[in-house]
Amino acid sequence: MFEFLFNFYGYAIFFYATAITLIYFVLAFMGYYNILRNRVRYTEREENILTTYPETAPGISIVAPAFNEEVIILDSITSLLSLNYPTYEIIIVNDGSTDNTLELMISRFELIEVPYAYMEKVACKPFKRTFKSVNPLYDKLIVVDKVNGGTKADAMNAGVNVAKYDYFINTDVDCILSPDTLSKVILPVLDSDIPVLAVGATMRMANGCDFRDGKITRIRPPADFIPTFQETEYLRSYLVAKMGWSAINAIPNVSGGFGLFEKSSVISCGGFDTKSHAEDMDMTLRLIAYKREHKLPYKIVQVPHSLCWTEGPPNLKVLMRQRTRWGRGLLQIFFVHRKFLFNRKYGRMGLIIMPYAFFFELMAPIIEFSGFFFLLFLLYTEQINFNTFWLMLAYVYLIGISISTITIVFDISLRKLYRNLNEYLRLVLFSAFEALLYHPFVVIFTLRGYWQYLTKKNFKWGTMTRQGFSGQNGQDKSSSKAA
Amino acid sequence: MELSFYLQYYLFYLQNKFMGYPFVIRLTVLIVMGLIFIYILSLIRFVWINLNLRKKERDFAKLSRQVKDRFVAMLGSDEKYGEDRVFQEFEDVILRMNNKTKIQITDLILNTANELKEAGKTVNEDNYRSIIHVLDIPSFWETELMSNNSKRRHIALRKLDNLGNGLTTSVLMRSTNHKNKGLRKQARAAVMKYDNIDPFKFLEDSFDTDFNALDEIMIHHFLVGRQSEGPLPLLSRWVQHAKNHAFKAFMIKEIGFFNQMECAEFLKGLLKTEESKLVRAAIIESLGNLGRQEVEHEIFDMYGISPVEIQTAIINAVAKFKTKIGLDFLTNQFFRTTDNEQKVHLAYAIKQFGEEGKLRLTNLSTNSNEFERKIFDQVNYQLG
C-alpha cells in the first residue's frame, strides 16, 4: 500500500512539473508574440499624436492611497505631476496617517481645504475633507483626507468616489511611474472595439535606480540580494505569464501596484473589497464575473513596457511580511470565489484562470514543501535511485533558469533599460541561484500565509521600511503601509 | 570506415540503454535536453542582442558626431541652402550611405528638428527639404513602404508621416487593403492627408470595418493636417451614408470641432430622425459647438425622456448657448433631478453663464439642502 502511494506521489509530482514546464513555454511563446505585436502597433508616434491633440485624449485619474508615507510622499507626488499626458488628475488618499504625511503635502504643494460635494458610490470609511493647491503648477493634485480604514482597498474606494474621469489608475505612493505611462496604457483601450476593463503593465524594482526630483535618471538592477531575485521574478510574471495570458484574454490579476481600471465597471462591482487580502486579484475576478454574468464583452490587456518602479523588500523580514500577505490573499480568493472554479458559466475564468491558479499557484508551495520532506524521507530510508536522482534534480532546476533567461531576453529585446551588459548579466547570474537561495523562502512564507488565514490570526497589514527615492537611505524612517 | 563503425556501435549502445529505461526517465532525458538547448540558445541570443545593440549605439553616435552639427547649422540658419550646396556639404556621407545609415539619418534629422523646435528656434523648412531629398530619405522610405513585410511597411508609413514631406499615394494605396488591421487603418488615414485626387474615399465606407477610438484620433490628426493646407469639404457628406454609429458620431463631432456651420441645418434635420443615442448626443454636442441656439426648445423637450448621455450633451450645449431660457432650464433641472452626479454637472453648467450664473447659484443656495450647498461651494471655488 505504502509503495503504491509512494509511486503515485512520485509520478504525480513528475507530471505536475511537466505540466508547469509545458504551460510556461506555451505562455512564453504567446507572450513573445504579444510583445512583438504590441511593439509594432503602438510607438512613440501614436503617443505623440495623443498628446498633441488634448481634445482626443481621454482623461485618467491616478489614485494612490497613503498611510504614514512621510518618507516618500513628496517624491512620489512630484513624479506623478511630471507625467507626459494632457488630461489627468492625481488623487492622493490620506488614509488617516498618524505621521506628518498630510502636513508635508500641505506645506510643499501649498494645499488648502476646499469645498467638495462628496458622493459615496462605493463603500469606505468616512470621508473628512479634500485639499487642492492654490498654486496652478499643482492644479492636477487633489488630496482626500479620510478616516483610516486599515486596508488599501478602503482608501482606493475613497479615491474612486472622487475620481472624475472614466478610467483610473490604481497605484501606491511607493511607486514611481515612467513619464509616458498614461499614453502607453490608454492606447490599447482606444484601439479596441470591445470595452477594455483593465490594463496592466510591467513593474520593476526601484531599489537600484537613481532618482532626482521624483524622476528616474538611471535604471539599474537592485544592489541587494532579495530585490534582485524579485526583479527577475517580476519580469517573469509580467513578460511571460501575464503577456501570455493576455494573448487569450485570460489575465488572472491586474497588479495592485499598477493597473488601469474602467471606473464604471469597478463601481458596478461595488468597488474594491475592503476585507480582501488580495484586493487586486479579487477586483479582477469580480470584474470578469460581472461581465460574464451580464453576458457583456470585455477585454483585460497587459502592456509589456516597464512603467512602474516600486521598492522591493530589502531584507528577509520584509519579504516574509509581503509573501505571507500574498499567501493569505491567495487562499482567501479560493474560499471567497470558489464558485468560479471549474464553472463553465464564467468562461475562461472558470475553466482556465481559476484552475491554473488553483493547481499551479495555490497548490505549488504545498507540493514543493511536501516534496522536500518526501525527499528527506527517501534519503533516510535509502530508497533514492541516484542514477536518476540527478536527472530529476536537473530537470526541476532547468525549468526555472531557462524560463528566467528567456524572460531576460524578452526584456532586453523590448527595450534596453540597463546601461550595460554586466547589469543584465547580474540578473542572469542571480536566476541561476534563485531556486536555492530565494525560492525556498518564498515557499515557506506563502505557507505561513495559508496557515495564518486558516487559523484566523489577527492580520497586520505589514510594515515596509521606506528608503525614499531621494537617496535618504539610512535615515531609519519607517512607515506602515495600508496594504 | 573504422570510425563510422565505432560511432554506429556507440549510437546503438546508447539507443538500447535509453530504450531500456522506463518511460518517465526517457521523457525526462528528452525534456532536460530540450531545456538545456533552450537555455543555451537564450544565452546566445542574450549576448547577441547586447552586442547588436551596442554596435547600433556606437554607429549612431559616430554618425551623429559626423553630421549633427551640420544639420543644426543648416536647419537653424536663415540662409537658404540649395540642393547643390547641401550635396557638397554631405558628399562624404552620401558616398558611403547604405540602408542602415538612411534609417539612422532619418532619426537624427527628426531629432535635430525637434530639438530646435523645443529650444524655441525656427526650423528652416527649405533646408530641411533639401537635406532629406539630397540624402534620398523619402524615396528610401517609399521603397520600404512597398516591402512585403507588414512590419517594415508600418515603420515606413510612420517615418514618412513624421518627415512631413508628403508621399506618393500610389505607394500608399498598396497598404490600404492589407490584412494587417493596424497597417491598413494607418494607410487609409494617411490617404486623407496625402492623396490629391480622392483623399476621403475611405470615409465613404465608414473608414474601416473595425473602426475604433484610436482611428478617431488618427483621422483627426490627418484632418487637422489637411485643414492646414486648405478648407476641408463638408463632413456631413460622410455622415449621411455612414452605417457605423461610432463613425457617424465621430464625424458629427468633427463637424463641431472644425466649425462647419454649413452642416448645421443637416444636423438639425438628422436630430429629428436619428435613433442611436450615441449619434444623437454627438449631434447635440456639435450644435452646441456651432452655437445653433434655435434648437434649444427642441432639446429641452427631449431632455426628460433621454438617457444620461444625451442629457449630458444637452447640458453642455445649453451652457454654450448661454441664453436666458437656457439658464432657467438648467436651474429647473437642477432641482428636478435625483441624480447627484447630474446635479454637479448642472451646477457647473450654470456657473458657465458668468456673473448671471454666479448670481443664480447664490440665489439657489438659499433654498437648497446641505449637499446642494456643498455643490455650489465646490463649483464657486473651482470656477472662481
Side-chain angles (χ1 to χ4, degrees), chain A residues 47-60:
Chain A
E47 292 165 29
N48 288 340
I49 291 176
L50 197 60
T51 48
T52 310
Y53 304 101
E55 65 275 8
T56 62
I60 301 172

mmCIF file of all heavy atoms in Angstrom, chain A residues 47-60:
data_model
loop_
_atom_site.group_PDB
_atom_site.id
_atom_site.type_symbol
_atom_site.label_atom_id
_atom_site.label_comp_id
_atom_site.label_asym_id
_atom_site.label_seq_id
_atom_site.Cartn_x
_atom_site.Cartn_y
_atom_site.Cartn_z
ATOM 1 N N GLU A 47 1.772 57.847 -29.395
ATOM 2 C CA GLU A 47 1.713 58.560 -28.106
ATOM 3 C C GLU A 47 1.802 60.067 -28.332
ATOM 4 O O GLU A 47 1.085 60.838 -27.690
ATOM 5 C CB GLU A 47 2.870 58.111 -27.209
ATOM 6 C CG GLU A 47 2.730 56.676 -26.744
ATOM 7 C CD GLU A 47 4.018 56.133 -26.168
ATOM 8 O OE1 GLU A 47 4.814 56.918 -25.636
ATOM 9 O OE2 GLU A 47 4.233 54.913 -26.265
ATOM 10 N N ASN A 48 2.662 60.473 -29.258
ATOM 11 C CA ASN A 48 2.804 61.903 -29.542
ATOM 12 C C ASN A 48 1.525 62.502 -30.111
ATOM 13 O O ASN A 48 1.131 63.603 -29.744
ATOM 14 C CB ASN A 48 3.957 62.148 -30.523
ATOM 15 C CG ASN A 48 5.288 61.919 -29.866
ATOM 16 O OD1 ASN A 48 5.388 61.936 -28.636
ATOM 17 N ND2 ASN A 48 6.324 61.681 -30.646
ATOM 18 N N ILE A 49 0.884 61.732 -31.010
ATOM 19 C CA ILE A 49 -0.366 62.239 -31.600
ATOM 20 C C ILE A 49 -1.404 62.442 -30.497
ATOM 21 O O ILE A 49 -2.100 63.446 -30.448
ATOM 22 C CB ILE A 49 -0.881 61.273 -32.699
ATOM 23 C CG1 ILE A 49 0.065 61.323 -33.904
ATOM 24 C CG2 ILE A 49 -2.300 61.630 -33.128
ATOM 25 C CD1 ILE A 49 -0.263 60.349 -35.016
ATOM 26 N N LEU A 50 -1.432 61.474 -29.591
ATOM 27 C CA LEU A 50 -2.393 61.539 -28.482
ATOM 28 C C LEU A 50 -2.146 62.780 -27.621
ATOM 29 O O LEU A 50 -3.094 63.451 -27.203
ATOM 30 C CB LEU A 50 -2.230 60.269 -27.632
ATOM 31 C CG LEU A 50 -3.342 59.903 -26.674
ATOM 32 C CD1 LEU A 50 -4.636 59.682 -27.416
ATOM 33 C CD2 LEU A 50 -2.974 58.642 -25.916
ATOM 34 N N THR A 51 -0.887 63.076 -27.368
ATOM 35 C CA THR A 51 -0.604 64.235 -26.504
ATOM 36 C C THR A 51 -0.670 65.557 -27.278
ATOM 37 O O THR A 51 -0.862 66.603 -26.678
ATOM 38 C CB THR A 51 0.773 64.092 -25.822
ATOM 39 O OG1 THR A 51 1.734 63.728 -26.808
ATOM 40 C CG2 THR A 51 0.759 63.035 -24.750
ATOM 41 N N THR A 52 -0.540 65.478 -28.606
ATOM 42 C CA THR A 52 -0.619 66.709 -29.413
ATOM 43 C C THR A 52 -2.047 67.233 -29.480
ATOM 44 O O THR A 52 -2.279 68.433 -29.598
ATOM 45 C CB THR A 52 -0.114 66.434 -30.852
ATOM 46 O OG1 THR A 52 1.136 65.783 -30.759
ATOM 47 C CG2 THR A 52 0.060 67.707 -31.656
ATOM 48 N N TYR A 53 -3.017 66.314 -29.454
ATOM 49 C CA TYR A 53 -4.419 66.739 -29.546
ATOM 50 C C TYR A 53 -5.126 66.426 -28.227
ATOM 51 O O TYR A 53 -5.760 65.377 -28.093
ATOM 52 C CB TYR A 53 -5.123 66.024 -30.704
ATOM 53 C CG TYR A 53 -4.425 66.218 -32.025
ATOM 54 C CD1 TYR A 53 -3.612 65.222 -32.564
ATOM 55 C CD2 TYR A 53 -4.549 67.421 -32.711
ATOM 56 C CE1 TYR A 53 -2.945 65.430 -33.758
ATOM 57 C CE2 TYR A 53 -3.880 67.621 -33.911
ATOM 58 C CZ TYR A 53 -3.082 66.621 -34.429
ATOM 59 O OH TYR A 53 -2.416 66.825 -35.610
ATOM 60 N N PRO A 54 -5.028 67.323 -27.264
ATOM 61 C CA PRO A 54 -5.613 67.050 -25.942
ATOM 62 C C PRO A 54 -7.097 66.735 -26.020
ATOM 63 O O PRO A 54 -7.630 65.991 -25.188
ATOM 64 C CB PRO A 54 -5.365 68.342 -25.162
ATOM 65 C CG PRO A 54 -4.367 69.107 -25.930
ATOM 66 C CD PRO A 54 -4.449 68.673 -27.353
ATOM 67 N N GLU A 55 -7.769 67.301 -27.053
ATOM 68 C CA GLU A 55 -9.219 67.072 -27.166
ATOM 69 C C GLU A 55 -9.547 65.607 -27.457
ATOM 70 O O GLU A 55 -10.677 65.166 -27.260
ATOM 71 C CB GLU A 55 -9.824 67.986 -28.243
ATOM 72 C CG GLU A 55 -9.371 67.735 -29.685
ATOM 73 C CD GLU A 55 -8.069 68.454 -30.057
ATOM 74 O OE1 GLU A 55 -7.422 69.023 -29.159
ATOM 75 O OE2 GLU A 55 -7.700 68.424 -31.249
ATOM 76 N N THR A 56 -8.556 64.838 -27.920
ATOM 77 C CA THR A 56 -8.824 63.433 -28.234
ATOM 78 C C THR A 56 -8.391 62.492 -27.108
ATOM 79 O O THR A 56 -8.734 61.319 -27.115
ATOM 80 C CB THR A 56 -8.050 63.006 -29.504
ATOM 81 O OG1 THR A 56 -6.655 63.143 -29.250
ATOM 82 C CG2 THR A 56 -8.435 63.832 -30.702
ATOM 83 N N ALA A 57 -7.601 63.010 -26.165
ATOM 84 C CA ALA A 57 -7.052 62.131 -25.120
ATOM 85 C C ALA A 57 -8.041 61.964 -23.966
ATOM 86 O O ALA A 57 -8.402 62.952 -23.319
ATOM 87 C CB ALA A 57 -5.743 62.722 -24.599
ATOM 88 N N PRO A 58 -8.488 60.741 -23.705
ATOM 89 C CA PRO A 58 -9.426 60.552 -22.591
ATOM 90 C C PRO A 58 -8.750 60.859 -21.250
ATOM 91 O O PRO A 58 -7.570 60.559 -21.073
ATOM 92 C CB PRO A 58 -9.796 59.068 -22.670
ATOM 93 C CG PRO A 58 -8.958 58.469 -23.708
ATOM 94 C CD PRO A 58 -8.095 59.495 -24.338
ATOM 95 N N GLY A 59 -9.498 61.458 -20.347
ATOM 96 C CA GLY A 59 -8.933 61.797 -19.033
ATOM 97 C C GLY A 59 -8.673 60.553 -18.191
ATOM 98 O O GLY A 59 -9.370 59.549 -18.330
ATOM 99 N N ILE A 60 -7.661 60.617 -17.337
ATOM 100 C CA ILE A 60 -7.333 59.487 -16.455
ATOM 101 C C ILE A 60 -7.111 60.028 -15.032
ATOM 102 O O ILE A 60 -6.422 61.029 -14.858
ATOM 103 C CB ILE A 60 -6.049 58.763 -16.928
ATOM 104 C CG1 ILE A 60 -6.210 58.226 -18.351
ATOM 105 C CG2 ILE A 60 -5.675 57.623 -15.969
ATOM 106 C CD1 ILE A 60 -4.938 57.665 -18.965
#
